[in-house]
Amino acid sequence: MNLTADTIKPVEGMYAYVPNKPHLHNVVAGDVLVAGQVVKQDTAQTDTLCAHVKVAEETDTTFGVVVYDCRKVSNAVGDKVAIAQTGDVIYMVAGGAVTAGAKLQFTAATRKVDDTTTANNAFIGRAITPATADGDLIQVELDFTLGVQSAG
C-alpha cells in the first residue's frame, strides 16, 4: 500500500467523496484559487477521476468554496485543491451587516458574502452567525441548491 500516493484508483462501490470532508479537485489552467473563493465546475474537462474547478462569477452555477490550507496561500494550475460543498459549514468574510439565517450571495472580486439580493446572482448558502460590519467572519452553511435571485 502506497500511503503517499497522490492519485486514487477507483473501485466499484467505493465512496467518490467522503461525507463531511473537503473534496479534492484539480485547478483549471489560467486560474489561481485562494481560500474562500467560490468556484464552479469546469465541465469541458474530460478527467474521469477528478473534477476540475475554476473561479465562479456571481451569475454562475456554483460548485463549492476553496477551503483554507495552512500549507499554502494559493493553489495554482495542476494543484489539488480542497473544496467545501453543500452541507458544509465554513467561515467566510461578510461584505456588510448580515442577519443570521439570511440567504447569502457572493461577490467574486472580493470573495465576500452578504444578504443583498441581486437579480440573477446565485445564492451560496445561509448565514449561521450574524455580521455587524464589513470584514466580519461569519459561519456559512453552504447550499448551492438555493438557486438564483429572480429578476423583478
Side-chain angles (χ1 to χ4, degrees):
M1 174 185 274
N2 182 356
L3 297 178
T4 60
D6 61 358
T7 60
I8 298 171
K9 180 174 177 16
V11 177
E12 184 177 3
M14 178 176 132
Y15 274 114
Y17 300 116
V18 179
N20 301 314
K21 299 290 181 192
H23 309 140
L24 294 179
H25 299 281
N26 287 326
V27 177
V28 170
D31 282 348
V32 174
L33 303 177
V34 297
Q37 194 153 42
V38 178
V39 294
K40 64 181 180 178
Q41 190 172 7
D42 182 13
T43 56
Q45 294 295 326
T46 59
D47 186 346
T48 60
L49 300 180
C50 189
H52 292 240
V53 294
K54 58 185 177 180
V55 175
E57 296 300 324
E58 291 87 352
T59 56
D60 287 335
T61 300
T62 50
F63 182 70
V65 177
V66 177
V67 176
Y68 171 75
D69 184 342
C70 65
R71 298 168 298 165
K72 54 185 165 180
V73 174
S74 63
N75 298 280
V77 176
D79 286 350
K80 297 275 192 272
V81 59
I83 303 295
Q85 294 183 297
T86 292
D88 293 337
V89 177
I90 64 170
Y91 285 99
M92 297 189 81
V93 178
V98 172
T99 304
K103 289 183 359 181
L104 301 172
Q105 293 181 331
F106 73 100
T107 302
T110 62
R111 297 186 318 274
K112 294 180 180 181
V113 296
D114 60 44
D115 57 3
T116 59
T117 51
T118 303
N120 301 316
N121 282 8
F123 290 107
I124 64 163
R126 292 189 184 276
I128 299 295
T129 57
T132 57
D134 179 31
D136 287 353
L137 276 178
I138 61 172
Q139 293 178 13
V140 176
E141 181 178 16
L142 299 175
D143 186 350
F144 300 108
T145 66
L146 293 173
V148 299
Q149 175 65 35
S150 60

